[in-house]
CSV table of all heavy atoms in Angstrom, one decimal:
chain,number,residue,atom,x,y,z
A,57,ALA,N,3.8,12.0,7.3
A,57,ALA,CA,2.6,11.5,6.6
A,57,ALA,C,2.2,12.4,5.5
A,57,ALA,O,1.7,12.0,4.4
A,57,ALA,CB,1.5,11.2,7.6
A,58,GLU,N,2.3,13.7,5.8
A,58,GLU,CA,1.8,14.7,4.8
A,58,GLU,C,2.6,14.6,3.5
A,58,GLU,O,2.1,14.7,2.5
A,58,GLU,CB,1.9,16.1,5.4
A,58,GLU,CG,0.8,17.1,4.9
A,58,GLU,CD,-0.6,16.7,5.0
A,58,GLU,OE1,-1.0,16.1,6.2
A,58,GLU,OE2,-1.4,16.8,4.0
A,59,ASP,N,3.9,14.5,3.6
A,59,ASP,CA,4.8,14.3,2.4
A,59,ASP,C,4.4,13.0,1.7
A,59,ASP,O,4.3,13.0,0.4
A,59,ASP,CB,6.3,14.2,2.8
A,59,ASP,CG,6.9,15.5,3.2
A,59,ASP,OD1,6.5,16.5,2.7
A,59,ASP,OD2,7.8,15.5,4.0
A,60,ARG,N,4.2,11.9,2.3
A,60,ARG,CA,3.9,10.7,1.6
A,60,ARG,C,2.5,10.8,1.0
A,60,ARG,O,2.3,10.2,-0.1
A,60,ARG,CB,4.0,9.5,2.7
A,60,ARG,CG,5.4,9.3,3.2
A,60,ARG,CD,5.5,8.2,4.1
A,60,ARG,NE,5.0,8.4,5.5
A,60,ARG,CZ,3.8,7.9,5.9
A,60,ARG,NH1,3.1,7.1,5.1
A,60,ARG,NH2,3.4,8.2,7.1
A,61,TYR,N,1.5,11.4,1.7
A,61,TYR,CA,0.2,11.6,1.2
A,61,TYR,C,0.3,12.5,-0.1
A,61,TYR,O,-0.2,12.1,-1.2
A,61,TYR,CB,-0.7,12.4,2.2
A,61,TYR,CG,-2.0,12.9,1.7
A,61,TYR,CD1,-3.0,11.9,1.4
A,61,TYR,CD2,-2.2,14.2,1.2
A,61,TYR,CE1,-4.2,12.4,0.9
A,61,TYR,CE2,-3.3,14.6,0.7
A,61,TYR,CZ,-4.3,13.7,0.5
A,61,TYR,OH,-5.5,14.2,0.0
A,62,LEU,N,1.0,13.6,-0.1
A,62,LEU,CA,1.1,14.5,-1.3
A,62,LEU,C,1.7,13.8,-2.5
A,62,LEU,O,1.4,13.8,-3.6
A,62,LEU,CB,1.8,15.7,-1.0
A,62,LEU,CG,1.1,16.7,-0.1
A,62,LEU,CD1,1.9,17.9,0.3
A,62,LEU,CD2,-0.1,17.2,-0.9
A,63,MET,N,2.9,13.0,-2.2
A,63,MET,CA,3.5,12.2,-3.2
A,63,MET,C,2.5,11.2,-3.9
A,63,MET,O,2.5,11.0,-5.1
A,63,MET,CB,4.8,11.5,-2.8
A,63,MET,CG,5.9,12.5,-2.4
A,63,MET,SD,7.4,11.6,-2.2
A,63,MET,CE,7.2,10.9,-0.5
A,64,THR,N,1.7,10.6,-3.1
A,64,THR,CA,0.6,9.7,-3.5
A,64,THR,C,-0.4,10.4,-4.5
A,64,THR,O,-0.8,9.9,-5.5
A,64,THR,CB,0.0,8.9,-2.3
A,64,THR,OG1,1.1,8.4,-1.5
A,64,THR,CG2,-0.9,7.8,-2.9
A,65,VAL,N,-0.8,11.6,-4.0
A,65,VAL,CA,-1.8,12.4,-4.8
A,65,VAL,C,-1.1,12.7,-6.2
A,65,VAL,O,-1.8,12.5,-7.2
A,65,VAL,CB,-2.2,13.7,-4.1
A,65,VAL,CG1,-3.0,14.6,-5.0
A,65,VAL,CG2,-3.0,13.3,-2.8
A,66,ILE,N,0.1,13.1,-6.2
A,66,ILE,CA,0.9,13.6,-7.4
A,66,ILE,C,0.9,12.2,-8.3
A,66,ILE,O,0.6,12.4,-9.5
A,66,ILE,CB,2.2,14.1,-7.1
A,66,ILE,CG1,2.1,15.4,-6.4
A,66,ILE,CG2,3.1,14.1,-8.4
A,66,ILE,CD1,3.4,15.9,-5.7
A,67,ALA,N,1.3,11.1,-7.8
A,67,ALA,CA,1.6,9.9,-8.6
A,67,ALA,C,0.2,9.4,-9.2
A,67,ALA,O,0.3,8.8,-10.2
A,67,ALA,CB,2.2,8.9,-7.7
A,68,THR,N,-0.9,9.6,-8.5
A,68,THR,CA,-2.2,9.0,-9.1
A,68,THR,C,-3.0,10.0,-9.8
A,68,THR,O,-4.1,9.5,-10.3
A,68,THR,CB,-3.0,8.5,-7.9
A,68,THR,OG1,-3.2,9.5,-6.9
A,68,THR,CG2,-2.2,7.2,-7.1
A,69,ALA,N,-2.6,11.3,-9.9
A,69,ALA,CA,-3.5,12.3,-10.4
A,69,ALA,C,-3.9,12.0,-11.9
A,69,ALA,O,-5.2,12.4,-12.2
A,69,ALA,CB,-2.8,13.7,-10.4
A,70,SER,N,-3.2,11.4,-12.7
A,70,SER,CA,-3.5,11.3,-14.1
A,70,SER,C,-4.5,10.0,-14.3
A,70,SER,O,-4.9,9.9,-15.5
A,70,SER,CB,-2.3,11.1,-15.0
A,70,SER,OG,-1.6,9.9,-14.6
A,71,ASN,N,-4.7,9.3,-13.3
A,71,ASN,CA,-5.6,8.1,-13.5
A,71,ASN,C,-7.0,8.4,-12.8
A,71,ASN,O,-7.1,8.5,-11.6
A,71,ASN,CB,-5.0,6.9,-12.9
A,71,ASN,CG,-5.8,5.7,-13.2
A,71,ASN,OD1,-7.0,5.7,-13.4
A,71,ASN,ND2,-5.1,4.5,-13.4
A,72,PRO,N,-8.1,8.5,-13.6
A,72,PRO,CA,-9.3,8.9,-13.1
A,72,PRO,C,-9.9,7.8,-12.2
A,72,PRO,O,-10.9,8.0,-11.4
A,72,PRO,CB,-10.3,9.0,-14.3
A,72,PRO,CG,-9.5,8.5,-15.5
A,72,PRO,CD,-8.0,8.5,-15.1
A,73,LEU,N,-9.4,6.5,-12.2
A,73,LEU,CA,-9.9,5.5,-11.4
A,73,LEU,C,-9.2,5.3,-10.1
A,73,LEU,O,-9.5,4.5,-9.3
A,73,LEU,CB,-9.9,4.1,-12.1
A,73,LEU,CG,-10.8,4.1,-13.4
A,73,LEU,CD1,-10.7,2.7,-14.0
A,73,LEU,CD2,-12.2,4.5,-13.2
A,74,PHE,N,-8.1,6.2,-9.9
A,74,PHE,CA,-7.4,6.2,-8.7
A,74,PHE,C,-7.7,7.4,-7.8
A,74,PHE,O,-7.8,8.4,-8.2
A,74,PHE,CB,-5.9,6.2,-8.9
A,74,PHE,CG,-5.2,5.0,-9.6
A,74,PHE,CD1,-4.0,4.9,-9.9
A,74,PHE,CD2,-6.0,3.7,-9.7
A,74,PHE,CE1,-3.3,3.8,-10.5
A,74,PHE,CE2,-5.4,2.6,-10.2
A,74,PHE,CZ,-4.2,2.6,-10.6
A,75,ARG,N,-7.9,7.1,-6.5
A,75,ARG,CA,-8.2,8.1,-5.5
A,75,ARG,C,-7.3,8.0,-4.3
A,75,ARG,O,-6.7,6.9,-4.2
A,75,ARG,CB,-9.6,8.1,-5.0
A,75,ARG,CG,-10.8,8.5,-6.0
A,75,ARG,CD,-12.1,8.5,-5.3
A,75,ARG,NE,-12.6,7.2,-5.0
A,75,ARG,CZ,-13.4,6.8,-4.0
A,75,ARG,NH1,-13.6,7.8,-3.0
A,75,ARG,NH2,-13.8,5.6,-3.8
A,76,VAL,N,-7.1,9.0,-3.5
A,76,VAL,CA,-6.2,8.9,-2.3
A,76,VAL,C,-7.1,9.3,-1.1
A,76,VAL,O,-7.8,10.3,-1.1
A,76,VAL,CB,-5.0,9.9,-2.5
A,76,VAL,CG1,-4.0,9.5,-1.2
A,76,VAL,CG2,-4.3,9.6,-3.8
A,77,SER,N,-6.9,8.5,0.0
A,77,SER,CA,-7.7,8.8,1.2
A,77,SER,C,-6.8,9.4,2.3
A,77,SER,O,-5.6,9.0,2.4
A,77,SER,CB,-8.3,7.4,1.7
A,77,SER,OG,-8.7,7.6,3.0
A,78,ARG,N,-7.3,10.3,3.1
A,78,ARG,CA,-6.5,10.9,4.2
A,78,ARG,C,-6.9,10.1,5.5
A,78,ARG,O,-6.5,10.5,6.6
A,78,ARG,CB,-6.9,12.2,4.4
A,78,ARG,CG,-6.4,13.2,3.3
A,78,ARG,CD,-6.6,14.6,3.6
A,78,ARG,NE,-5.9,15.1,4.8
A,78,ARG,CZ,-4.6,15.5,4.9
A,78,ARG,NH1,-4.0,15.5,3.7
A,78,ARG,NH2,-4.1,15.9,6.0
A,79,ILE,N,-7.7,9.0,5.4
A,79,ILE,CA,-8.3,8.4,6.6
A,79,ILE,C,-7.2,7.9,7.6
A,79,ILE,O,-7.3,8.2,8.9
A,79,ILE,CB,-9.2,7.1,6.2
A,79,ILE,CG1,-9.9,6.6,7.5
A,79,ILE,CG2,-8.4,6.0,5.6
A,79,ILE,CD1,-10.9,5.6,7.0
A,80,GLU,N,-6.0,7.5,7.2
A,80,GLU,CA,-5.0,6.9,8.2
A,80,GLU,C,-4.1,8.1,8.5
A,80,GLU,O,-3.6,8.2,9.6
A,80,GLU,CB,-4.2,5.8,7.6
A,80,GLU,CG,-5.0,4.5,7.4
A,80,GLU,CD,-4.3,3.3,7.2
A,80,GLU,OE1,-3.1,3.3,6.9
A,80,GLU,OE2,-4.9,2.2,7.2
A,81,VAL,N,-3.9,9.1,7.6
A,81,VAL,CA,-3.0,10.2,7.8
A,81,VAL,C,-3.6,11.1,8.9
A,81,VAL,O,-2.9,11.6,9.8
A,81,VAL,CB,-2.9,11.1,6.6
A,81,VAL,CG1,-2.2,12.4,6.9
A,81,VAL,CG2,-2.1,10.3,5.5
A,82,GLU,N,-4.9,11.1,9.1
A,82,GLU,CA,-5.6,11.9,10.0
A,82,GLU,C,-6.0,11.2,11.3
A,82,GLU,O,-6.2,11.9,12.3
A,82,GLU,CB,-6.9,12.5,9.4
A,82,GLU,CG,-6.5,13.7,8.4
A,82,GLU,CD,-7.7,14.3,7.8
A,82,GLU,OE1,-8.9,13.9,7.9
A,82,GLU,OE2,-7.5,15.2,7.0
A,83,ARG,N,-5.9,9.9,11.3
A,83,ARG,CA,-6.2,9.2,12.5
A,83,ARG,C,-5.1,9.2,13.5
A,83,ARG,O,-3.9,9.1,13.2
A,83,ARG,CB,-6.5,7.7,12.1
A,83,ARG,CG,-7.2,6.9,13.3
A,83,ARG,CD,-7.2,5.5,13.1
A,83,ARG,NE,-7.9,5.0,11.9
A,83,ARG,CZ,-7.5,4.1,11.1
A,83,ARG,NH1,-6.4,3.4,11.3
A,83,ARG,NH2,-8.3,3.8,10.1
A,84,GLU,N,-5.5,9.5,14.7
A,84,GLU,CA,-4.4,9.6,15.8
A,84,GLU,C,-4.0,8.1,16.2
A,84,GLU,O,-4.7,7.2,16.1
A,84,GLU,CB,-5.1,10.2,17.2
A,84,GLU,CG,-5.6,11.5,16.9
A,84,GLU,CD,-4.5,12.6,17.2
A,84,GLU,OE1,-3.6,12.4,18.0
A,84,GLU,OE2,-4.5,13.5,16.4
A,85,GLY,N,-2.8,8.1,16.6
A,85,GLY,CA,-2.3,6.7,17.1
A,85,GLY,C,-1.8,5.8,16.0
A,85,GLY,O,-1.8,6.2,14.9
A,86,PRO,N,-1.4,4.6,16.3
A,86,PRO,CA,-0.9,3.7,15.4
A,86,PRO,C,-1.9,3.3,14.3
A,86,PRO,O,-3.2,3.2,14.6
A,86,PRO,CB,-0.5,2.4,16.2
A,86,PRO,CG,-0.7,2.8,17.6
A,86,PRO,CD,-1.5,4.0,17.7
A,87,THR,N,-1.4,2.9,13.2
A,87,THR,CA,-2.3,2.5,12.1
A,87,THR,C,-2.7,1.0,12.1
A,87,THR,O,-1.7,0.2,12.1
A,87,THR,CB,-1.6,2.8,10.7
A,87,THR,OG1,-1.5,4.2,10.6
A,87,THR,CG2,-2.3,2.2,9.6
Side-chain angles (χ1 to χ4, degrees):
E58 207 61 41
D59 285 328
R60 295 183 287 102
Y61 168 78
L62 286 174
M63 288 191 282
T64 308
V65 169
I66 291 166
T68 54
S70 62
N71 188 329
L73 299 184
F74 289 174
R75 289 184 286 144
V76 188
S77 166
R78 291 186 61 85
I79 188 169
E80 292 192 355
V81 170
E82 284 175 1
R83 192 192 300 143
E84 299 277 321
T87 291

